[in-house]
């Protein structure tokens, strides 16, 4: 390597490192300040905490705060995210498959209908959605607002357009012969889908699950409308809002709450990191 | 049962879960929304909305706060699209080069994207209010000590752009990485043999080759900047106040927040809904124009 090349490589490495430090700086701030008491955080927000033991005290406070109800909120977030991901991916794959394999006016129209969902911003439908959920409750007696199933149904509806679109593109590239061979071997249509097609779709499943997991886990506006801020059923972002949005800014506890809200998904990311990066890169060129 | 009928039933059976959810959650509310925007809808159970025609739309255009919010949203979107794409492209360039630990850096730059806008809004609020002045004090830089980013209506928008760029650039970086890895290495090498410098290589080879990615990233950043809600709610909650056409307005009440506030804070559901419809129309026109314009510039492979 020539000296010039070496110099370029070194300076690029240095620039990357600086940008990386800027990127993780807020995380550093969260961690050091989660271990401070309220006076300490006011006077010295950029120094290391005097006693790291304060972190445990703060976690205990957040855990038992009646407004946050951390364990219940975590449970709600996990249940809603898990079932939404499961239903969005399987239902969308099923829909995309029959749409690709059935050539009819109906299938073209329905595919276009799903596509139109990609350009409708949430703001246009959010107020009427709440109103519709209330109407469903009044006419059928099934409660939709402040319920798990109402929330999951909403996520399927908003998640389906992109998922159907991505599955549709992928399924088009799968040769039909494979499915025909399975039919000759005696598979019925459902078996063809679940035993033959679904395993082939694995990479696109991973991408769709990752994209939706990040969105659903962090979503605030939709749950705030369907579940309500400060109500019985609340996800973690709603809990943070109910706590931090109140008048007095208790920064020491807010930082701890933020740490506890971010920890599950960051840990999940670190574990599945390889797949996520790969899924993001391959999903993004589509 | 006939084979054809059976296959038709199967089609609808497989389609039903996704399609019905989509119709209930998006299609029906969309048409309800258009209707509500033409009434005096209050969202209170038991009160039937009355038809008022385009009154809600007329009021909207007369409303100073709406005009201000509209302009601010455009400024915010324009600046965000530029900074996010610039930073993302720079990051993608760095981590596709021959540097050590590039996979580690890729993961690192992506991590902010995992944190929801609401949560990170509180973190940045704390950094802007407490951390930056402290750093200024520690280093003896008066500029930083007195930099009250969230108190000055002009500066606050930049605070929002900074926090949003921090969150979103790593995501857009991923798309650029995919595009950069697809640029044929032979082309770059050929130009090097011909003596092209870094900028010539970028403008004449890399940039046209990644034009397709550019269309996607501009679209995504544009739409997401325009719809920004969570970060604003947690970082500034719309404030601080500013004066526009001799009226007090909220300096960071961008359209998504404005719609929400009109509906809930000022308790006017129908007018909020009318603004949402306009929001949809403007966003559709702007984003489609953008895609059309960029598509024209893409090179055919």
């Amino acid at each position: 390597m020539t000296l010039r090349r070496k110099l370029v490589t070194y300076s690029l490495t240095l620039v990357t490192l600086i940008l990386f430090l800027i990127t993780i700086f807020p995380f550093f701030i969260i961690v050091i300040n989660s271990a401070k008491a309220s006076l300490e955080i006011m006077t010295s927000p950029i120094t290391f905490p005097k006693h790291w033991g304060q972190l445990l005290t703060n976690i205990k406070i957040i855990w038992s705060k009646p407004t946050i109800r951390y364990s219940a909120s975590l449970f709600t977030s996990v249940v809603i995210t898990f079932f939404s991901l499961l239903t969005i991916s399987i239902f969308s794959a099923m829909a995309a498959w029959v749409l690709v394999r059935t050539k009819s006016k109906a299938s073209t129209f329905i595919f276009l209908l799903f596509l139109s969902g990609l350009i409708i911003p949430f703001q246009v439908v959010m107020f009427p959605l709440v109103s519709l959920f209330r109407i469903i409750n009044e006419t059928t007696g099934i409660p939709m607002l402040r319920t798990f199933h109402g929330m999951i149904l909403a996520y399927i509806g908003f998640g389906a357009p992109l998922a159907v679109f991505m599955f549709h593109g992928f399924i088009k590239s799968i040769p039909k012969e494979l499915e025909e061979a399975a039919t000759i071997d005696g598979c019925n249509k459902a078996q063809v889908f679940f035993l033959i097609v679904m395993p082939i779709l694995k990479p696109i499943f991973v991408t769709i699950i990752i994209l939706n997991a990040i969105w659903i886990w962090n979503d605030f506006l939709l749950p705030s409308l369907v579940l309500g801020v400060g109500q019985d059923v609340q996800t973690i972002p709603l809990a943070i809002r109910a706590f931090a949005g109140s008048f007095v800014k208790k920064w020491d506890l807010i930082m701890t709450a933020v740490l506890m809200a971010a920890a599950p998904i960051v840990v999940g990311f670190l574990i599945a990191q390889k797949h996520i990066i790969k899924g993001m890169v391959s999903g993004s060129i589509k | 049962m006939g084979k054809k009928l059976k296959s038709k039933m199967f089609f609808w059976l497989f389609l039903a879960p996704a399609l019905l959810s989509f119709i209930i959650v998006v299609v029906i509310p969309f048409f309800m929304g258009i209707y509500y925007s033409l009434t005096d809808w209050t969202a209170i159970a038991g009160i039937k909305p009355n038809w008022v025609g385009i009154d809600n739309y007329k009021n909207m255009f007369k409303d100073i706060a709406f005009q201000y919010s509209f302009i601010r949203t455009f400024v915010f979107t324009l600046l965000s699209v530029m900074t996010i794409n610039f930073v993302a492209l720079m990051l993608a360039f760095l981590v596709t080069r021959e540097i050590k630990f590039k996979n580690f850096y890729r993961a690192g730059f992506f991590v902010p994207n995992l944190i929801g806008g609401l949560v990170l809004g509180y973190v940045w609020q704390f950094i802007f209010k407490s951390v930056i002045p402290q750093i200024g004090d520690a280093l003896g830089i008066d500029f930083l000590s007195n930099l009250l980013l969230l108190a000055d209506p002009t500066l606050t928008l930049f605070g929002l752009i900074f926090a949003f760029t921090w969150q979103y650039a790593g995501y857009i970086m991923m798309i650029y990485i995919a595009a950069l890895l697809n640029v044929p290495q032979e082309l770059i090498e050929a130009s090097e043999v011909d003596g092209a410098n870094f900028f010539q290589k970028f403008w004449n080879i890399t940039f046209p080759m990644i034009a397709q990615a550019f269309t996607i990233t501009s679209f995504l950043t544009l739409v997401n900047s325009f719809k920004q809600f969570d970060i604003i709610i947690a970082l500034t909650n719309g404030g601080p106040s500013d004066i526009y056409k001799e009226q007090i307005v909220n300096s960071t009440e961008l359209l998504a927040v404005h719609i929400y506030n009109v509906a809930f804070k000022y308790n006017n559901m129908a007018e909020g809904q009318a603004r949402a419809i306009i929001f949809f129309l403007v966003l559709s026109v702007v984003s489609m124009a953008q895609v059309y314009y960029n598509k024209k510039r893409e090179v055919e492979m």
Side-chain angles (χ1 to χ4, degrees):
Chain A
M1 232 197 283
T2 62
L3 184 68
R4 210 184 98 93
R5 254 234 137 99
K6 238 181 197 163
L7 213 65
V8 169
T9 310
Y10 278 134
S11 46
L12 287 178
T13 311
L14 189 69
V15 172
T16 316
L17 184 68
I18 292 169
L19 288 168
F20 177 73
L21 291 177
I22 296 173
T23 306
I24 58 161
F25 178 71
F27 293 101
F28 171 75
I29 290 294
I30 297 169
V31 172
I32 61 167
N33 286 302
S34 300
K36 288 175 187 167
S38 54
L39 185 68
E40 196 185 351
I41 200 171
M42 293 308 286
T43 52
S44 46
I46 50 170
T47 51
F48 279 102
K50 279 192 223 105
H51 313 285
W52 280 102
Q54 182 70 31
L55 180 61
L56 284 179
T57 316
N58 286 355
I59 289 176
K60 254 186 231 152
I61 297 172
I62 293 297
W63 191 275
S64 53
K65 271 266 170 208
T67 43
I68 293 197
R69 287 175 276 126
Y70 186 83
S71 51
S73 308
L74 183 70
F75 175 76
T76 305
S77 272
V78 169
V79 169
I80 288 176
T81 308
F82 177 79
F83 284 103
S84 301
L85 294 178
L86 192 76
T87 47
I88 289 173
S89 53
I90 293 179
F91 292 164
S92 303
M94 283 161 55
W97 183 60
V98 292
L99 286 176
V100 173
R101 293 297 180 230
T102 312
K103 297 263 177 294
S104 69
K105 272 196 189 124
S107 74
T108 315
F109 173 77
I110 292 165
F111 182 59
L112 288 176
L113 187 69
F114 273 120
L115 282 194
S116 70
L118 287 175
I119 54 163
I120 296 177
F122 179 63
Q123 276 77 9
V124 186
V125 292
M126 61 186 189
F127 303 139
L129 176 69
V130 175
S131 171
L132 179 64
F133 272 13
R134 201 174 290 138
I135 293 169
I136 292 176
N137 188 6
E138 280 159 12
T139 51
T140 65
I142 305 167
M144 300 300 287
L145 297 168
R146 292 176 198 172
T147 59
F148 285 84
H149 59 263
M151 206 60 235
I152 293 163
L153 177 78
Y155 279 127
I156 303 171
F158 287 114
L162 184 65
V164 167
F165 174 67
M166 288 171 78
F167 278 124
H168 197 273
F170 196 86
I171 292 169
K172 267 197 297 194
S173 67
I174 303 174
K176 227 178 159 179
E177 287 74 32
L178 213 60
E179 294 166 27
E180 282 162 358
T183 314
I184 293 167
D185 286 346
C187 280
N188 65 32
K189 277 197 171 178
Q191 283 170 328
V192 171
F193 178 76
F194 287 107
L195 300 175
I196 311 291
V197 179
M198 277 232 318
I200 304 174
L201 296 178
K202 201 184 146 203
I204 203 87
F205 261 105
V206 173
T207 307
I208 285 169
I209 286 175
I210 292 161
L211 286 176
N212 285 304
I214 296 172
W215 160 53
I216 294 171
W217 182 267
N218 289 316
D219 193 21
F220 169 68
L221 188 52
L222 179 56
S224 78
L225 289 161
V226 175
L227 300 175
V229 176
Q231 300 296 327
D232 290 343
V233 182
Q234 63 175 9
T235 58
I236 286 187
L238 294 180
I240 299 276
R241 175 67 182 161
F243 176 63
S246 55
F247 200 68
V248 186
K249 282 269 182 296
K250 290 191 135 281
W251 280 114
D252 48 329
L253 295 178
I254 292 174
M255 284 298 130
T256 313
V258 160
L259 179 75
M260 289 166 75
I265 195 155
V266 173
V267 170
F269 171 77
L270 293 177
I271 293 169
Q273 198 220 97
K274 240 184 169 161
H275 300 282
I276 292 175
I277 301 274
K278 234 173 64 190
M280 284 300 307
V281 172
S282 67
S284 61
I285 1 182
K286 280 267 163 303
Chain B
M1 207 178 341
K3 201 166 170 241
K4 204 154 183 201
L5 187 70
K6 216 171 156 185
S7 137
K8 220 175 195 170
M9 265 183 58
F10 183 82
F11 173 77
W12 291 108
L13 199 71
F14 255 49
L15 200 57
L19 186 62
L20 284 180
S21 316
F22 176 67
I23 290 175
I24 294 173
V25 174
V26 181
V27 180
I28 298 175
F30 180 76
F31 290 107
M32 283 168 77
I34 295 174
Y35 167 70
Y36 282 151
S37 77
L38 299 166
T39 67
D40 61 357
W41 180 50
T42 54
I44 298 167
I47 299 180
K48 242 182 139 290
N50 299 306
W51 185 264
V52 296
I54 56 165
D55 281 5
N56 292 323
Y57 292 89
K58 277 193 203 149
N59 289 342
M60 158 176 38
F61 288 110
K62 273 187 276 177
D63 184 2
I64 304 289
F66 175 76
Q67 294 171 15
Y68 178 84
S69 168
F70 203 83
I71 297 165
R72 278 252 151 172
T73 307
F74 266 89
V75 174
F76 171 80
T77 302
L78 190 72
L79 294 175
S80 296
V81 169
M82 290 193 315
T83 48
I84 291 170
N85 278 284
F86 176 76
V87 173
L89 189 58
M90 183 168 68
L91 294 178
F93 250 111
L94 290 169
V95 297
T96 48
R97 286 266 169 160
E98 281 314 308
I99 58 164
K100 271 183 196 156
F101 315 119
K102 59 181 170 191
N103 287 330
F104 172 77
Y105 285 125
R106 276 182 204 185
F109 291 135
F110 185 75
V111 169
N113 191 64
L114 300 170
I115 313 296
L118 187 89
V119 170
L120 82 86
Y122 288 115
V123 177
W124 281 102
Q125 192 190 127
F126 178 70
I127 293 177
F128 289 149
K129 276 187 179 159
S130 302
V131 175
I132 291 184
Q134 270 296 314
I135 293 176
D137 287 347
L139 299 175
I141 305 170
D142 286 347
F143 171 72
L144 285 182
S145 313
N146 302 326
L147 185 68
L148 293 171
L149 215 48
L150 300 183
D152 182 328
T154 321
L155 286 178
T156 313
L157 203 65
F158 292 98
L160 280 180
I161 293 168
F162 190 88
F164 186 35
T165 305
W166 177 81
Q167 178 197 30
Y168 204 46
Y171 182 94
I172 298 300
M173 170 194 77
M174 290 294 182
I175 300 173
Y176 281 126
I177 289 175
L180 286 174
L181 293 179
N182 277 338
V183 176
Q185 216 46 46
E186 304 88 65
L187 279 181
I188 305 266
E189 281 162 19
S191 70
E192 274 171 4
V193 173
D194 290 342
N197 66 29
F198 176 80
F199 291 102
Q200 285 170 327
K201 274 189 288 186
F202 180 75
W203 270 120
N204 299 321
I205 298 168
T206 311
F207 193 64
M209 294 299 289
I210 60 169
Q212 204 190 350
F214 198 71
T215 309
I216 302 166
T217 54
S218 319
F219 176 77
L220 284 176
T221 44
L222 190 143
V223 171
N224 282 313
S225 307
F226 206 80
K227 291 199 289 194
Q228 192 51 257
F229 181 84
D230 298 14
I231 296 180
I232 303 173
I233 289 296
L235 186 62
T236 65
N237 209 0
S241 301
D242 195 3
I243 304 285
Y244 179 72
K245 290 193 180 166
E246 289 163 19
Q247 261 197 38
I248 297 173
V249 285
N250 291 321
S251 62
T252 55
E253 194 182 272
L254 303 189
L255 278 176
V257 179
H258 179 75
I259 290 168
Y260 188 90
N261 282 349
V262 168
F264 287 116
K265 223 159 125 188
Y266 311 124
N267 216 351
N268 202 334
M269 294 301 281
E271 275 200 28
Q273 186 57 37
R275 283 160 213 236
I277 301 280
I278 293 296
F279 179 85
F280 160 63
L281 290 176
V282 172
L283 181 59
S284 311
V285 170
V286 173
S287 57
M288 277 187 224
Q290 178 274 132
V291 170
Y292 175 75
Y293 173 74
N294 275 327
K295 274 270 173 216
K296 276 207 322 203
R297 296 191 355 214
E298 283 177 17
V299 273
E300 290 294 325
M301 283 274 285

